[in-house]
Amino acid sequence: MNGTIIILNGTSSAGKTSLVLALQKILPEPFLDSGIDKFIWMLPERYLDQPLWDEVLGLATQAGNVGHKLMTGMHYAIAALSRTGNHVIADHVLVEPKWLQECASLFSELPAFFIAVRCPLEIVEEREQARKNRTLGQARAQFDIVHSHGIYDFEVDTSLYGPKDCALQIKAYLESDNPPHAFKRLKTLGAG
């Protein structure tokens, strides 16, 4: 039996990482954290020291060559984990149309839920400034791109609710027996 996939998509500093941790605490089955940061931190340190990670994530809205290969590997790894019965949560920043197409193609026949993590621009910019470990301007650059496809199974707003409450909303949605549909629709529409 395939494991459940939860893809959390939103800009940098939208609250995805905190939401992953909150979901891992409240979901009854173990969910593996297989998100974008886990894959980026697999890279040798020399790639992480580049200005704006040019070869990896480009300017935070377009990936470099290494970034494309890394994200394709992440998508295939998530699908493989699900096919071997593992449950997966992955935070993502889907700024590249190719990435959305890959996710739609790989996840459309799996129990994969696509969740929007929304937060107003002024709040993500405040969070970005306060975090001190993000390139300033990333959230603004990604803001109009990351949700432009507009199709999700469910949405949360981290400016209105904290991580635990957003996690409880997602858990309630998963338990409502609504089958995932977003990736199927995106595949049919030729996502991206």
Side-chain angles (χ1 to χ4, degrees):
M1 183 172 328
N2 295 322
T4 300
I5 298 170
I6 303 170
I7 303 293
L8 304 173
N9 183 45
T11 64
S12 175
S13 300
K16 299 181 304 294
T17 302
S18 299
L19 187 49
V20 167
L21 296 173
L23 282 164
Q24 284 185 309
K25 284 182 183 176
I26 67 165
L27 293 172
E29 301 87 6
F31 273 76
L32 305 177
D33 177 357
S34 301
I36 189 169
D37 287 344
K38 299 290 187 211
F39 279 79
I40 288 171
W41 289 106
M42 288 183 195
L43 289 166
E45 192 173 329
R46 69 181 181 274
Y47 285 92
L48 305 178
D49 291 335
Q50 296 180 36
L52 295 177
W53 298 352
D54 292 334
E55 278 299 307
V56 182
L57 293 181
L59 300 173
T61 58
Q62 293 179 311
N65 184 45
V66 172
H68 279 298
K69 289 189 286 187
L70 186 64
M71 290 303 97
T72 294
M74 176 179 135
H75 301 152
Y76 275 85
I78 290 168
L81 286 166
S82 171
R83 286 193 178 97
T84 55
N86 294 285
H87 302 296
V88 179
I89 302 174
D91 58 319
H92 212 325
V93 185
L94 284 159
V95 293
E96 287 275 4
K98 177 185 177 205
W99 297 352
L100 186 61
Q101 291 167 356
E102 279 180 354
C103 288
S105 176
L106 289 168
F107 305 153
S108 63
E109 301 305 318
L110 295 170
F113 293 88
F114 196 25
I115 311 290
V117 180
R118 296 192 184 270
C119 188
L121 180 59
E122 60 273 8
I123 295 175
V124 291
E125 286 184 318
E126 285 174 20
R127 291 175 182 173
E128 185 178 67
Q129 183 79 32
R131 289 174 78 177
K132 309 262 190 244
N133 66 349
R134 290 292 185 262
T135 303
L136 295 180
Q138 255 186 329
R140 179 175 288 275
Q142 297 165 348
F143 195 79
D144 291 329
I145 301 168
V146 76
H147 298 297
S148 62
H149 51 84
I151 298 172
Y152 288 102
D153 291 299
F154 192 71
E155 301 189 11
V156 294
D157 186 331
T158 63
S159 70
L160 300 175
Y161 303 99
K164 182 178 179 183
D165 288 330
C166 287
L168 288 168
Q169 292 172 26
I170 292 169
K171 182 177 186 270
Y173 179 78
L174 297 175
E175 291 172 348
S176 70
D177 292 328
N178 289 310
H181 67 273
F183 287 122
K184 284 181 176 62
R185 260 189 88 204
L186 286 163
K187 183 178 180 183
T188 301
L189 295 172

